[in-house]
Amino acid sequence: MNIDTGTVAMIAIRLFFSALAAVFAVIIWSKTRDSAWMLIVLGVTSAYAENVYFVMKTLGITESFQLKIGSVPVAAIVIS
C-alpha cells in the first residue's frame, strides 16, 4: 500500500478533531439531558464513526468484510 505524507496528515487531523468533538459531546451529554443537545451529541458521535470508517476504508481494512445488498455497501450507507 502506497500512502503519502499528505494522506497520513489528513487522516491524523480528521481523527484528532473528530475525537476531540466526540469527547466534548459526551461531556455536554453528561451535563444536560435536553433533547436538542442529545441530537447534536448523536450527530457528532456518528460523524466520528464515519471518520473512523473512512480511515479504515482508506487503509483497505474494510474491503475483506463488506456487507452488501446487491452492489450497495450497507455500512457506508448506515454510517453516513
Side-chain angles (χ1 to χ4, degrees):
M1 176 171 287
N2 190 7
I3 298 177
D4 62 347
T5 308
T7 305
V8 172
M10 183 202 53
I11 287 171
I13 290 170
R14 279 183 77 160
L15 283 178
F16 174 75
F17 283 114
S18 61
L20 189 65
V23 167
F24 286 142
V26 170
I27 289 171
I28 288 174
W29 182 20
S30 68
K31 299 290 181 191
T32 182
R33 298 290 181 192
D34 188 24
S35 61
W37 281 105
M38 297 296 278
L39 290 174
I40 291 172
V41 169
L42 183 65
V44 169
T45 53
S46 66
Y48 178 69
E50 184 178 9
N51 281 330
V52 170
Y53 180 75
F54 169 77
V55 170
M56 289 177 16
K57 185 177 177 183
T58 302
L59 296 176
I61 296 171
T62 60
E63 291 177 5
S64 63
F65 56 90
Q66 283 187 349
L67 175 64
K68 291 184 179 183
I69 297 177
S71 64
V72 179
V74 176
I77 292 175
V78 170
I79 290 176
S80 296

